[in-house]
Amino acid sequence: MDFRIIPVILSLMFVSILIISSYSSAGTSEIVDESFFTPVVGNQLQRFLLGWGIYLFFAGFDYNKLREWAWILYATMLVALFGLFFTDSIQQVHRWYRIPIIHAAFQPSEGAKLIVVIALSWFLERKSHQSSTWNTAFGGLLIVGIPFFLILKQPDLGTALVLYPITLVMFYFGNIQPWVIRLMTWGGALMLSIVALIFLEIVPHESVRSYATLVMKEYQFNRLDPRTHHQRASATAIALGGLTGTGWRNSDYTRGGWLPFPYTDSVFPSFGEEFGFFGLVALIALFYALIYLSFQATAVAKDPFGRLLSAGITVYLAIHILINIGMMSGFLPITGVPLILVSYGGSSILSTMAALGILQSIYSRRFMF
C-alpha cells in the first residue's frame, strides 16, 4: 500500500474538524457552544469513521472485479437519480433522499460521479480495439450524458458540470476519436470564455440576461454576477485573515454570520480568515499532495481498466478542489461543489473515501499480472 497518502487524508480531516468546531459553536451572545466536540463535529466524525471503513474495504477489494459490477452499479445509479423526482423536495430541489431512522439525507449524485467513472472505464477498455471509431465515442457520451441530464434536472448544474472534464480526460486516456476530444476541448474553452467575459464584467451582466435565461434558470444566471453577497463575503473573509489569520475561533466576520455556509460550501474562506494566507497555502499543499499521490496509481497501473479508472478518479478529486477554491477566491461563479474531505457532508465524504480506496487498490496491485 501507499502509506504516504494516509497522513495527507488525516490532515485534511483534522482541518475539517477544526473549521466545523469553530463555526458550529458560533451563535448569539446567549447561545454559544464552547466545547470542541459540538453535535455537528460529532456527526462529521461519524462520517469520517464510516468513510475509513469504506476506504479499507475498497483498498482490500480487487478493483478488477468492478468490471463485473459496472453495469449493475450504473443501472442502480440511474434508478436512484430518477427516483429523486418522486420524492419531496428539500430546499425546493430534488437532490436528497431522507433516511428517517438515522435522521440523515443521502445525495445520490455524489456517488453517481464515481459510478460514471467505473462504467466509462469498463466501456472504454472493452472498446479499446475500436476506440477511434465514432460509435465508441457516441457510446461513451451516452454513458455520461444520461446521468448528466438527470443531475442537471434536479437542478444541480455544478455537480453535472464536474462530469465534463472527467469525460474529457478519460476519453484522452482511452484514445477516443481525436476530433471528439478537440470538439470537447474547444467547447469547454468556449463555455469558460463566455462565463469569464460575463463574470469579469467585460460583457455587462444584465445585457445578456434575456439570452442566457433561455438556456439556464434565473438563479443560475444570477451566480454569474461577481457582486453577489456570497462572492463579496468570501473575498472579504480571506482578506481579513491577512498573512497569519485571526486565530481559531477568533474571527469576527465569519463567526458573526456574514459569510454564508461557513463549514460547507464556504469552508475555504472561513479557514482563511482564521488561519490566514499561510494556512491556505498549507491547505493547498495538502491537496496538491493528495492529487500527486493519486496520479501515482495511474502511473503504475498495469492494465487499461486500472489506468482509466485511476485517471478518472484523480480528475474527479482534482476538479472538486479547483472549482471550490476557484469560486471561493473570486475566479469562478459560486456553485454547490464541496471541498473534498473538508466540507461538512456525508455523501461527499463517503464517495471520496471510496474513490481513494479504489486508487489504493490499483496501486497495491501494480505488481500483479
Side-chain angles (χ1 to χ4, degrees), residues 43 45 53 64 71 89 103 111 121 147 192 204 219 238-239 292 303 305 309 343 348 351:
N43 290 337
L45 286 171
N64 289 292
W71 282 108
S89 63
H103 304 289
S121 298
L192 284 175
Y219 78 91
I238 293 173
Y292 175 81
D303 63 291
F305 180 70
L309 187 57
S343 293
S348 174
S351 298

Side-chain angles (χ1 to χ4, degrees), residues 25-35 249 255:
S25 68
T28 65
S29 56
E30 296 83 14
I31 307 174
V32 178
D33 187 350
E34 294 294 344
S35 66
R249 285 191 175 180
R255 282 175 65 86

Side-chain angles (χ1 to χ4, degrees), residues 194-273:
I194 293 172
V195 170
L197 288 173
I198 300 172
F199 193 64
L200 298 176
E201 298 186 283
I202 298 173
V203 174
H205 182 261
E206 292 301 320
S207 66
V208 295
R209 178 179 291 274
S210 58
Y211 304 103
T213 50
L214 294 175
V215 294
M216 60 196 312
K217 296 183 182 296
E218 190 78 21
Y219 78 91
Q220 292 172 337
F221 176 73
N222 290 336
R223 289 176 178 172
L224 296 178
D225 186 352
R227 296 166 295 182
T228 62
H229 170 69
H230 203 164
Q231 290 282 2
R232 291 177 179 269
S234 298
T236 301
I238 293 173
L240 289 173
L243 289 176
T244 57
T246 60
W248 184 64
R249 285 191 175 180
N250 285 329
S251 66
D252 293 324
Y253 186 79
T254 302
R255 282 175 65 86
W258 295 101
L259 177 65
F261 316 113
Y263 54 84
T264 53
D265 291 348
S266 304
V267 70
F268 186 78
S270 63
F271 178 79
E273 185 178 359

